[in-house]
Amino acid sequence: DARRRDFTLNAMSREAGGKIHDFTGGWQDARDGNIRFVGDPRERIREDTLRILRFFRFLATHGRVLPDEMALAACHEAAGHLKDLSRERIWKELKKLLAAPNPGPVWKMMQDAGVAQKILPEAHGARLEKLAELEKHFFSAALRLRQGFGGQGDPLLRLAVLVHGNQTEAEMLQAQFALSHVEARILGFFLDFSPEKQAPFTPKKLHALAYYYGLDITGKFLLMGGVFGAHFDWDSVADVLQKTEVKSFPLKGEDVVGLGVSPGPRVGEILRQTEAWWIDQDLVPDREACLEKASKLARQSE
């Protein structure tokens, strides 16, 4: 059984009493960070082509030494067969790879081996390393914990950074990788975001982004801005986000109807205009002020 496992790290077994069986040198490989196929890499890959992606995923998450040249050659030779795998299996492995602390160097290896081109030919791999550096250095520990940057990276953010600007739509990637509806929706936020248009990230703009998207995604928009060259004071924006309280718009359609506006399209339009005014006022006006603004708009539209 151990001889037919994919990597030596996965070929070890443990008895109920605690005794470890290691027939392939997996224990030493684990200590060294050496990702090594069990036996002939070509044979292991012929058994399951997904092992190509698993090889690079383990390199990204556990590798600490240069990969075996025979393994890289085997991955290169079999890369064309990745198209035969189901979309779900590809995304499952790619998602784990992109969640690694810094998948950039491994993505470069995948490109050099002709693997990355088979699953995401439009990708700009160098962006991953820049993103990982920004995640590591520019957010305080407290902000990382609050925004979810304390451990793994966000695979959807990293996928978006790889393809951003290539006229790639979330629906295309959803079909390509069988993403869930939630994943596609979040990915769409990232792909539609324009760092150039949003910068500079003033407190007012950050408050508006947090209102529309929440603090987590707003923090990741900042990372995207950094990747694509937006210049701003990271300490200042981090301080703003730390102090930002995500607010809810204080009016609903029924409030506009209560002002004497007949149910219909006018209600929605007045609500949207009032909300836009509220956002422009940095989300400060309270419910009474918003009602007064909506009332003025209702009188103007009569």
Side-chain angles (χ1 to χ4, degrees), residues 89-162:
R89 296 188 76 203
I90 290 177
W91 173 237
K92 183 177 180 180
E93 285 300 323
L94 181 60
K95 186 176 181 179
K96 292 176 180 178
L97 189 156
L98 291 177
N102 181 10
V106 170
W107 192 270
K108 177 65 165 55
M109 295 178 194
M110 291 172 65
Q111 289 178 315
D112 292 342
V115 172
Q117 295 87 329
K118 300 299 182 182
I119 56 175
L120 209 61
E122 67 271 37
H124 298 272
R127 295 174 181 172
L128 286 180
E129 291 192 66
K130 189 170 184 179
L131 176 59
E133 284 300 307
L134 291 173
E135 291 171 340
K136 179 180 178 181
H137 295 296
F138 288 103
F139 279 83
S140 67
L143 184 63
R144 284 203 303 272
L145 289 172
R146 181 173 180 179
Q147 305 295 3
F149 301 135
Q152 292 182 323
D154 183 338
L156 293 173
L157 172 64
R158 289 171 170 183
L159 178 60
V161 165
L162 279 172

Side-chain angles (χ1 to χ4, degrees), residues 27-81:
W27 183 262
Q28 188 61 48
D29 286 340
R31 295 184 63 176
D32 295 341
N34 185 21
I35 311 305
R36 190 165 56 89
F37 280 97
V38 174
D40 184 354
R42 292 174 176 82
E43 181 63 27
R44 297 287 80 77
I45 291 173
R46 275 195 293 268
E47 293 169 351
D48 186 355
T49 308
L50 188 69
R51 287 172 172 171
I52 295 174
L53 297 183
R54 284 175 58 79
F55 174 68
F56 289 104
R57 190 251 289 185
F58 275 95
L59 280 176
T61 57
H62 294 80
R64 293 192 301 277
V65 298
L66 291 175
D68 176 66
E69 290 297 328
M70 286 183 59
L72 288 174
C75 291
H76 172 72
E77 293 170 11
H81 296 290

Side-chain angles (χ1 to χ4, degrees), residues 241-254:
L241 283 184
Q242 281 284 54
K243 297 175 181 177
T244 295
E245 178 185 353
V246 180
K247 297 182 179 180
S248 298
F249 181 52
L251 297 189
K252 297 181 180 179
E254 60 193 41

Side-chain angles (χ1 to χ4, degrees), residues 2-298:
R3 297 293 181 188
R4 295 188 63 82
R5 298 289 176 177
D6 48 8
F7 307 110
T8 58
L9 278 68
N10 294 333
M12 294 184 286
S13 56
R14 178 178 179 272
E15 292 184 2
K19 182 179 180 180
I20 301 293
H21 296 280
D22 178 16
F23 304 103
T24 62
W27 183 262
Q28 188 61 48
D29 286 340
R31 295 184 63 176
D32 295 341
N34 185 21
I35 311 305
R36 190 165 56 89
F37 280 97
V38 174
D40 184 354
R42 292 174 176 82
E43 181 63 27
R44 297 287 80 77
I45 291 173
R46 275 195 293 268
E47 293 169 351
D48 186 355
T49 308
L50 188 69
R51 287 172 172 171
I52 295 174
L53 297 183
R54 284 175 58 79
F55 174 68
F56 289 104
R57 190 251 289 185
F58 275 95
L59 280 176
T61 57
H62 294 80
R64 293 192 301 277
V65 298
L66 291 175
D68 176 66
E69 290 297 328
M70 286 183 59
L72 288 174
C75 291
H76 172 72
E77 293 170 11
H81 296 290
L82 286 169
K83 67 180 187 303
D84 301 325
L85 295 173
S86 71
R87 300 171 301 161
E88 292 84 356
R89 296 188 76 203
I90 290 177
W91 173 237
K92 183 177 180 180
E93 285 300 323
L94 181 60
K95 186 176 181 179
K96 292 176 180 178
L97 189 156
L98 291 177
N102 181 10
V106 170
W107 192 270
K108 177 65 165 55
M109 295 178 194
M110 291 172 65
Q111 289 178 315
D112 292 342
V115 172
Q117 295 87 329
K118 300 299 182 182
I119 56 175
L120 209 61
E122 67 271 37
H124 298 272
R127 295 174 181 172
L128 286 180
E129 291 192 66
K130 189 170 184 179
L131 176 59
E133 284 300 307
L134 291 173
E135 291 171 340
K136 179 180 178 181
H137 295 296
F138 288 103
F139 279 83
S140 67
L143 184 63
R144 284 203 303 272
L145 289 172
R146 181 173 180 179
Q147 305 295 3
F149 301 135
Q152 292 182 323
D154 183 338
L156 293 173
L157 172 64
R158 289 171 170 183
L159 178 60
V161 165
L162 279 172
V163 302
H164 195 278
N166 289 342
Q167 296 183 329
T168 303
E169 298 180 353
E171 291 78 8
M172 296 168 56
L173 292 170
Q174 182 180 22
Q176 182 177 349
F177 296 125
L179 306 180
S180 70
H181 291 298
V182 173
E183 288 174 331
R185 180 170 175 268
I186 295 173
L187 182 62
F189 292 154
F190 295 141
L191 291 178
D192 292 340
F193 183 72
S194 174
E196 298 84 359
K197 293 180 180 178
Q198 289 294 336
F201 292 101
T202 62
K204 183 176 178 180
K205 193 166 292 184
L206 290 171
H207 295 157
L209 288 172
Y211 166 67
Y212 281 121
Y213 301 102
L215 285 170
D216 179 61
I217 290 179
T218 298
K220 291 167 185 175
F221 283 156
L222 290 172
L223 290 173
M224 289 187 68
V227 169
F228 291 101
H231 298 288
F232 49 88
D233 186 327
W234 287 90
D235 290 334
S236 296
V237 296
D239 185 59
V240 170
L241 283 184
Q242 281 284 54
K243 297 175 181 177
T244 295
E245 178 185 353
V246 180
K247 297 182 179 180
S248 298
F249 181 52
L251 297 189
K252 297 181 180 179
E254 60 193 41
D255 297 312
V256 179
V257 173
L259 295 172
V261 180
S262 300
R266 279 183 63 215
V267 172
E269 182 58 31
I270 291 172
L271 203 62
R272 283 190 292 272
Q273 289 180 15
T274 306
E275 182 186 40
W277 168 81
W278 178 70
I279 293 171
D280 190 57
Q281 300 299 310
D282 202 12
L283 289 67
V284 171
D286 60 12
R287 174 178 167 79
E288 292 303 316
C290 288
L291 279 171
E292 182 179 348
K293 178 65 176 180
S295 180
K296 290 180 180 179
L297 291 170

